[in-house]
Amino acid sequence: MACLSDRLPWPVLGISLLAFAFVGGCATEDADTRGDHGAAQAPRVPGWAADAVFYQVFPTRFANGDTTNDPTRATLEQPVDDVPASWSVTPWTQDWYEEAEWERQMGGFYASVYDRRYGGDLQGVINRLDYIDSLGVNALYFNPVFWANTLHKYDGTSFHHIDPNFGPDPERDRAIIAGEDPTDPSTWKTTAADSLFFELLDAAHDRDIRVVIDGVFNHTGRAFFAFQDIVENQAGSPYADWYKISSFDAPATPDTSEFEYDGWWGVPQLPEFADATDGEDLAAGPKQYVFDSTERWMDPNGDGDPSDGIDGWRLDVADEVPEGFWVDWNAHVRSINPEAYTVAETWQPAAGFIRAGGFSAAMNYFAFALPVKGFLIDHAITPTEFSNMIDARRTAFDDSTRTAVQNLIDSHDTPRLATMIVNRSDTGYVEPERFDYDWGAVVSVRDNRSYKVRAPDADERGLQRLVTLFQMTYVGAPMVYYGTEVGMWGADDPDDRKPMVWGDMDYEVEDDHPFGQERPADPVRVNRDLLTFYRDAIRFRRDTPALRSSRFETLQADDERSTFAYVRGDADAPVVVVLNRSTEAHSLRLPLPDSLRGTYDIALSTVDNGTRVQSDGTALLLELPATSGVVLTKR
């Protein structure tokens, strides 16, 4: 999650990472699972997951397709009185660090940025589906789309309605919702925002693009209907057992409040749902509500045909929710749609957790993003160490899970890939085991004012292409964070959540700094060469069956030259990939086993010139420019 309330006074660090613990996962798993709470489930991993290339959309910052539904000051997180009356929607193309007068009144950039609104909505996504389709991706992951007050929407007001400000008629939608009994699905209506979401689903499905949405079932916002009723009625509320409440307000002391409850990681804006008395499940009330809401989005018209619903879920802070709940919930999901994909957010070793809870996969931070940071970005470990690390972490999963895990490098919870590269370091880690990946004290500009906020240079863009080449040719389902493909940069939250850069919009030069420091004046525009490379790499991934298998073998890890070579697929149609992480060009001889010998052609390269490949019958002879990579296919 790593997405705290909009107005926290401390940096939003990626708090779920503070729970990071390197614990061992199961070495093997079955494709099916039988949970303690029920009978055998459908296969955990749908067949389409191995073919997926995901694109992550942060809805409020992707595109503003309807300015008439833009948020107002009244829709901000409470207390709205903290925000000056001069508040207004921030222009999409404004210099990210430029402050409006209302922001200066609030105390500067980091004191006000969480109250910024840019107007991103579902119509914006619909308008840009042709662009998404042109990338070659075939699966969308949306950060929360349900009703919530913050820009990130991990503080749900409800789970059974799309945020009214994502649709065309926010005021009428709120009136409709107010007339419902939120715990009785028979009273639930379809709002204009809900209808627009279903339109988006249909439009995506028409393009053969699947849709996965965020489920936040550990906590809510304080505006959530059940919590609001508790605030008003305290122990007399019918929802009194829905949350982790340690004490209710005492009527005998009207001048003081004894009301205390648990917030996620101590954050009061995010009250946590209560567990069942045995601690193995969620409390009955919130569990039933979550199950009802789940069904609403998976089979919207309730006819037993899930084709008009979403294709899966990403589950926020999944390892903080009781396992028994996940066993039952995953079984419920697959009873609605056996081909549903459920991916857990966990930053820990995930193999055992995935199987125990019945998930399809996990966001692959531990087994992918961290090793990539250590070797390809920071160059802090050798090719041999990298090979051993990814082998051990990949083989902890069973074959079907290996091909389904989300191989991401950056996300809404981390600095952008371009900025990781700009700030790369191979020494002085605060957290060496994770190469300081998303370690808040290092990657947050608020905590580390030496963290660079500039755009990458040409050499750094070359390294981004190298990282992307590995991402698109490794085992698992790649996931690209919106805007990374056009060159967007930014430090940790909130700087990784800038408005999407579109080629048909003119953006101000970014030359401000949140603390007034000197920095280059960086033009903000689409990097068309980088975008072309992403499209080519995604297309090659989609067109090459070997890259969607679980087969992977290291061919050579040359620590002296800092090169790494591997093969994907079988001997009939192998794909050989060679990475040169060195800052020097190298001539290489890559011996091949008998089954792989033959003539190879360059299918994809991170550079336009300087790469050569020949064969002497038993080995490939290669010339690789510095910081480059090449993909070879056998004739």
Side-chain angles (χ1 to χ4, degrees):
M1 175 186 172
C3 43
L4 301 179
S5 171
D6 282 355
R7 58 178 68 253
L8 290 180
W10 60 84
V12 181
L13 303 176
I15 285 188
S16 60
L17 283 180
L18 299 178
F20 199 100
F22 291 93
V23 296
C26 297
T28 60
E29 304 171 9
D30 299 323
D32 302 317
T33 184
R34 183 181 298 272
D36 294 338
H37 288 218
Q41 300 175 17
R44 293 183 296 102
V45 184
W48 61 267
D51 297 327
V53 179
F54 285 92
Y55 188 71
Q56 180 184 351
V57 171
F58 196 80
T60 59
R61 298 289 168 82
F62 188 65
N64 186 349
D66 181 1
T67 57
T68 68
N69 66 6
D70 283 356
T72 64
R73 181 170 171 269
T75 64
L76 301 180
E77 186 188 10
Q78 299 297 321
V80 74
D81 292 343
D82 291 348
V83 182
S86 59
W87 180 94
S88 62
V89 171
T90 303
W92 196 272
T93 59
Q94 175 182 295
D95 180 347
W96 172 248
Y97 290 117
E98 181 182 337
E99 298 170 19
E101 177 58 31
W102 67 267
E103 293 177 293
R104 288 190 287 272
Q105 291 176 26
M106 289 184 69
F109 180 79
Y110 288 113
S112 61
V113 66
Y114 295 104
D115 286 303
R116 277 189 181 181
R117 299 292 184 271
Y118 287 84
D121 51 32
L122 295 184
Q123 189 61 53
V125 180
I126 292 172
N127 293 350
R128 299 292 182 170
L129 276 176
D130 286 344
Y131 168 79
I132 293 171
D133 197 18
S134 77
L135 294 175
V137 300
N138 57 2
L140 288 176
Y141 154 48
F142 284 96
N143 291 98
V145 293
F146 300 143
W147 188 14
N149 289 328
T150 57
L151 68 97
H152 54 68
K153 304 202 179 299
Y154 284 91
D155 58 330
T157 297
S158 79
F159 299 159
H160 67 281
H161 282 297
I162 302 300
D163 191 284
N165 282 101
F166 283 161
D169 197 347
E171 291 305 315
R172 187 169 184 273
D173 282 0
R174 292 187 183 95
I176 291 173
I177 297 169
E180 299 174 342
D181 176 353
T183 61
D184 181 359
S186 69
T187 70
W188 295 354
K189 308 300 183 183
T190 299
T191 66
D194 298 341
S195 294
L196 191 62
F197 179 72
F198 296 139
E199 181 182 329
L200 168 58
L201 273 181
D202 289 343
H205 287 164
D206 286 345
R207 292 169 170 81
D208 295 323
I209 298 173
R210 299 182 189 265
V211 175
V212 172
I213 65 175
D214 221 316
V216 188
F217 304 147
N218 176 73
H219 52 262
T220 71
R222 291 182 295 193
F224 191 82
F225 66 86
F227 192 79
Q228 282 290 295
D229 194 274
I230 294 171
V231 170
E232 181 178 353
N233 298 304
Q234 293 293 305
S237 170
Y239 308 108
D241 60 353
W242 278 43
Y243 289 88
K244 296 177 180 176
I245 298 174
S246 52
S247 65
F248 291 100
D249 191 20
T253 56
D255 295 333
T256 61
S257 175
E258 293 79 21
F259 183 43
E260 294 184 0
Y261 58 91
D262 290 352
W264 180 73
W265 283 91
V267 178
Q269 293 93 334
L270 300 173
E272 287 194 298
F273 278 141
D275 296 339
T277 53
D278 61 3
E280 298 299 318
D281 204 342
L282 278 186
K287 179 177 181 177
Q288 185 60 54
Y289 174 73
V290 168
F291 274 45
D292 290 339
S293 300
T294 297
E295 188 166 350
R296 175 175 175 83
W297 304 111
M298 296 191 67
D299 184 10
N301 61 9
D303 66 351
D305 178 2
S307 62
D308 56 345
I310 63 169
D311 301 285
W313 296 83
R314 178 265 192 187
L315 292 318
D316 186 60
V317 295
D319 49 9
E320 300 182 38
V321 178
E323 179 182 298
F325 169 81
W326 290 127
V327 171
D328 291 349
W329 181 83
N330 274 298
H332 180 59
V333 164
R334 293 189 181 91
S335 72
I336 303 169
N337 182 358
E339 284 290 293
Y341 173 79
T342 60
V343 56
E345 183 206 16
T346 178
W347 301 65
Q348 304 181 33
F353 178 69
I354 290 172
R355 184 187 187 284
F359 299 99
S360 304
M363 300 179 77
N364 206 15
Y365 287 109
F366 179 75
F368 181 79
L370 270 67
V372 166
K373 175 76 159 55
F375 174 53
L376 287 178
I377 295 177
D378 290 351
H379 207 189
I381 56 176
T382 66
T384 298
E385 291 170 325
F386 177 66
S387 178
N388 292 338
M389 185 178 293
I390 60 174
D391 282 352
R393 298 182 183 189
R394 182 184 66 255
T395 56
F397 301 114
D398 69 274
D399 280 357
S400 60
T401 305
R402 286 174 206 168
T403 61
V405 288
Q406 282 185 344
N407 286 342
L408 72 163
I409 302 164
D410 53 357
S411 76
H412 65 292
D413 282 340
T414 76
R416 286 192 174 269
L417 170 58
T419 296
M420 292 186 205
I421 292 170
V422 166
N423 290 275
R424 65 196 182 279
S425 172
D426 60 1
T427 59
Y429 289 126
V430 177
E431 289 292 322
E433 288 185 305
R434 52 188 281 183
F435 312 107
D436 282 353
Y437 181 86
D438 196 42
W439 191 251
V442 177
V443 301
S444 167
V445 180
R446 280 176 296 190
D447 283 357
N448 178 10
R449 298 193 183 187
S450 65
Y451 199 72
K452 302 181 184 70
V453 300
R454 65 169 174 81
D457 60 26
D459 289 342
E460 290 157 347
R461 287 300 188 197
L463 182 51
Q464 180 173 351
R465 289 192 293 273
L466 182 64
V467 171
T468 303
L469 185 76
F470 179 71
Q471 182 186 29
M472 295 299 163
T473 58
Y474 189 58
V475 182
M479 185 165 76
V480 177
Y481 183 41
Y482 83 94
T484 292
E485 78 281 3
V486 298
M488 289 179 65
W489 65 89
D492 199 14
D493 174 21
D495 300 328
D496 55 354
R497 303 175 183 182
K498 297 177 183 178
M500 174 68 177
V501 174
W502 295 108
D504 56 4
M505 301 177 75
D506 293 324
Y507 292 76
E508 294 181 5
V509 170
E510 189 175 299
D511 57 7
D512 284 344
H513 188 283
F515 298 109
Q517 297 177 12
E518 292 293 324
R519 58 159 295 176
D522 292 312
V524 177
R525 54 177 174 254
V526 172
N527 185 319
R528 299 200 176 276
D529 289 342
L530 185 65
L531 176 59
T532 297
F533 179 78
Y534 269 86
R535 285 175 167 153
D536 290 345
I538 292 170
R539 184 181 304 112
F540 183 73
R541 166 86 185 194
R542 293 280 308 278
D543 291 345
T544 309
L547 298 181
R548 304 194 298 275
S549 74
S550 64
R551 301 195 61 177
F552 178 97
E553 181 182 354
T554 297
L555 295 176
Q556 187 180 81
D558 187 332
D559 293 349
E560 181 179 354
R561 293 179 176 85
S562 200
T563 59
F564 180 63
Y566 53 95
V567 62
R568 297 293 316 279
D570 56 32
D572 292 335
V575 174
V576 173
V577 184
V578 188
L579 311 177
N580 178 15
R581 180 55 186 85
S582 170
T583 55
E584 298 178 0
H586 287 300
S587 298
L588 303 175
R589 185 176 188 274
L590 181 61
L592 297 175
D594 291 345
S595 61
L596 295 180
R597 290 175 183 172
T599 302
Y600 285 78
D601 297 313
I602 296 175
L604 186 66
S605 176
T606 64
V607 295
D608 294 331
N609 299 295
T611 302
R612 302 285 184 271
V613 58
Q614 296 179 351
S615 174
D616 66 3
T618 63
L620 293 176
L621 308 176
L622 298 125
E623 294 180 12
L624 289 180
T627 319
S628 71
V630 63
V631 179
L632 309 172
T633 53
K634 189 178 180 182
R635 290 182 191 172

